[in-house]
Amino acid sequence: MSVRLPPPGSCEYDAELQVYTITSAGENTWGDHDDFHFVWKRMTGDFIVTTRAEFIGAGANPHRKLGWMVRTSLDTGSPNVSTGIHGDGLLALQCRQIQDGPTEEARVSLTGADVVQLERRSNTYIMSVAHYGEPFVTVEVADVDLGGEVYVGLLVCSHEDDVVEEVVYRDVRIVVPVKEGFDRQQDPFGSRLELLDVASGHRQVIHSADHVLEAPNWTHDGQALIYNSGGRLYRFGLATRTPSLIDTDTVVNMNNDHVISFDGTMLAVSSHSPEEHVSLVYTVPVQGGTPKRITPTGPSYLHGWSPDGRYVVYAGLRNGDYDIYRISVDGGEETQLTTAIGLDDGPEYAPDGKYIYFCSARSGRMQIWRMKPDGSDQEQLTDDEYNNWFPHVSPDGKWVIFITYLINQVEASDHPPAKHVYLRLMPLDGGAPKVLAYLYGGQGTINVPSWSPDSRQVAFVSNTVPLATSI
């Protein structure tokens, strides 16, 4: 007697597009066993896995499934947790707690999703789902012990033994979160330099490092990014995918506040002065050279350059409060532009010079604001439950991108690294923001202007503990 087996599954990876295409037949992932195709890696400890995914074609069974799964073993009846993203739009966090036992589920009210995230925090599993462009909706299950080392991966199930379904997985990210109370300068910490296509939202990792990289600028010729690491600035060639050090003479304690002038010839930077023990603002030719000190006092944290090249704007701590100041690139006296109580930060000129965009915690949460270049007509552009930081205006003057910390993660005046954050986009004059990227990052992700010259892409940094140190 012969036994008919389901068609085998497959997986192809496009290294250039960084896309997985997975096919599978299989009766179901439910009940006391699972039949599906699984593309996995072994992991220990906590993790966050995220992707954008879609079925190809109309499909034969509305209960076909895609998503993430975590399993104790590769046995068909293994205990597991999975994101049950169904072809008909049903969204459920599925869980089998014992070998060959029943499968249970916790559903969310949302119907249909193409962004799927699964996070493990000890024995708690959190599913976050969204229609791309919208915030996450979450559901979780607790007290699920799958063991220390598990199989983590992408699944496809056609819900029909003799039918093959196909799924495309984009923007696949595996993140190991930092430990409680971590020290970014001492504990293992990694950075991924990424490019984001604004129209499609698709992302590409172009460089990874097992140390801190921060705040990429895009050079005006479109050929390179400039980022900071270890107090120095580096030029990262987009063609060669290699970094090279920018010589800044004795100014070697720079933070993630560096801006290229609108004509592309100069850099303004913030750097810690060893003599005065505060951050000061300097200018230096974009190719490197001897910096010139601009600000008379500190701490001063640079963020913007006027389109005519005459001024820089920065956040400065004066009289116990951070406000926004303007100063000539030749130095001299600074002009205070904001006076509201609460942190004002991240000032940046629009390309036409009509407004300075900034973020302010004066309302109780960090929100996006703008004002005239002389500080007048200050108006609030966002007013939501999040904390929104560092607005950056696109070179074509149509859009503002900024980073958003999720609810109850941070205080209004704090913007740490290694947190769940969104990159969000809104029209220049305000309006409903759209989520462009769902990531693990924060401080250093997008502190500086990082639009491509054609306004089609944005560069940013995401975080993870280096995966090699997680097992």
Side-chain angles (χ1 to χ4, degrees):
M1 184 178 71
S2 63
V3 177
R4 183 182 179 190
L5 297 175
S10 68
C11 177
E12 295 182 0
Y13 178 68
D14 186 320
E16 182 177 354
L17 298 178
Q18 299 182 2
V19 169
Y20 293 87
T21 301
I22 303 175
T23 67
S24 178
E27 183 182 7
N28 204 352
T29 55
W30 187 252
D32 60 1
H33 73 283
D34 305 310
D35 301 298
F36 67 109
H37 195 65
F38 192 39
V39 179
W40 53 266
K41 72 179 275 106
R42 300 294 297 273
M43 296 190 70
T44 61
D46 294 345
F47 51 78
I48 307 163
V49 289
T50 311
T51 187
R52 286 179 67 187
E54 62 176 333
F55 285 106
I56 304 302
N61 191 306
H63 295 293
R64 58 184 178 160
K65 296 175 185 175
L66 62 79
W68 291 102
M69 180 175 281
V70 182
R71 300 180 68 86
T72 300
S73 76
L74 297 180
D75 184 271
T76 60
S78 169
N80 70 77
V81 172
S82 69
T83 59
I85 312 302
H86 295 62
D88 65 357
L90 175 66
L91 306 173
L93 182 58
Q94 299 183 181
C95 175
R96 180 187 300 126
Q97 299 213 39
I98 60 174
Q99 180 72 30
D100 303 319
T103 299
E104 300 174 341
E105 67 180 11
R107 298 184 181 184
V108 299
S109 57
L110 185 69
T111 300
D114 56 353
V115 184
V116 188
Q117 180 175 281
L118 183 62
E119 178 175 3
R120 177 162 89 165
R121 298 180 188 170
S122 186
N123 288 340
T124 296
Y125 290 83
I126 305 162
M127 180 179 79
S128 301
V129 289
H131 301 127
Y132 177 72
E134 300 176 359
F136 274 138
V137 176
T138 65
V139 65
E140 66 180 61
V141 293
D143 301 320
V144 180
D145 186 1
L146 299 182
E149 188 172 20
V150 291
Y151 294 83
V152 183
L154 299 166
L155 73 92
V156 177
C157 174
S158 69
H159 214 281
E160 298 283 350
D161 257 349
D162 57 353
V163 173
V164 174
E165 297 283 6
E166 182 178 11
V167 174
V168 172
Y169 287 99
R170 304 178 184 273
D171 306 330
V172 176
R173 297 293 181 270
I174 300 175
V175 167
V176 176
V178 299
K179 65 182 183 180
E180 190 73 24
F182 91 109
D183 183 333
R184 191 167 61 153
Q185 304 305 321
Q186 301 294 328
D187 294 322
F189 189 81
S191 306
R192 292 168 175 158
L193 185 58
E194 301 196 40
L195 302 184
L196 168 69
D197 181 83
V198 174
S200 67
H202 295 153
R203 295 157 54 181
Q204 181 184 31
V205 176
I206 59 171
H207 183 58
S208 297
D210 292 348
H211 54 270
V212 177
L213 307 179
E214 295 185 304
N217 302 122
W218 209 305
T219 59
H220 289 211
D221 60 9
Q223 301 301 305
L225 305 174
I226 293 174
Y227 64 76
N228 66 284
S229 181
R232 309 296 298 272
L233 290 183
Y234 294 84
R235 178 185 173 94
F236 183 85
L238 292 173
T240 63
R241 301 290 171 95
T242 56
S244 58
L245 181 67
I246 297 175
D247 179 17
T248 52
D249 198 37
T250 58
V251 177
V252 292
N253 293 300
M254 285 173 280
N255 55 35
N256 52 35
D257 303 317
H258 42 87
V259 180
I260 303 173
S261 61
F262 275 81
D263 65 6
T265 64
M266 298 291 290
L267 275 167
V269 303
S270 299
S271 185
H272 186 83
S273 166
E275 294 81 19
E276 299 181 41
H277 305 290
V278 292
S279 175
L280 301 172
V281 177
Y282 304 80
T283 58
V284 64
V286 72
Q287 71 273 14
T290 302
K292 173 186 175 182
R293 177 174 169 175
I294 300 299
T295 50
T297 187
S300 300
Y301 296 98
L302 172 86
H303 279 279
W305 206 312
S306 64
D308 60 13
R310 297 174 57 194
Y311 302 100
V312 293
V313 284
Y314 51 94
L317 178 61
R318 313 288 187 263
N319 302 313
D321 199 18
Y322 275 98
D323 280 296
I324 293 171
Y325 294 82
R326 182 188 67 212
I327 196 169
S328 167
V329 295
D330 296 320
E333 292 188 11
E334 61 187 14
T335 299
Q336 185 173 353
L337 300 180
T338 64
T339 58
I341 300 300
L343 173 63
D344 295 322
D345 203 350
E348 179 179 310
Y349 282 87
D352 61 9
K354 292 182 179 180
Y355 287 99
I356 294 173
Y357 288 74
F358 65 103
C359 51
S360 176
R362 66 185 69 179
S363 68
R365 293 184 303 275
M366 186 61 76
Q367 298 294 318
I368 306 302
W369 290 66
R370 71 178 180 184
M371 61 185 168
K372 296 290 181 62
D374 62 0
S376 63
D377 296 338
Q378 296 180 21
E379 62 175 317
Q380 186 173 345
L381 298 180
T382 63
D383 185 14
D384 54 33
E385 65 269 42
Y386 304 110
N387 286 304
N388 302 309
W389 284 81
F390 301 130
H392 304 302
V393 182
S394 58
D396 62 11
K398 296 180 179 180
W399 303 100
V400 180
I401 194 171
F402 53 93
I403 190 166
T404 293
Y405 285 85
L406 274 58
I407 301 170
N408 299 324
Q409 277 208 107
V410 297
E411 297 296 325
S413 60
D414 195 14
H415 56 290
K419 296 291 184 181
H420 289 281
V421 295
Y422 301 139
L423 295 184
R424 296 203 291 168
L425 184 77
M426 71 177 179
L428 187 72
D429 295 329
K434 170 187 176 181
V435 179
L436 287 185
Y438 308 76
L439 62 138
Y440 191 69
Q443 172 71 284
T445 287
I446 192 170
N447 292 56
V448 300
S450 54
W451 285 90
S452 63
D454 60 8
S455 299
R456 296 174 62 184
Q457 297 183 80
V458 171
F460 67 94
V461 172
S462 59
N463 302 146
T464 181
V465 173
L467 298 184
T469 68
S470 68
I471 297 177

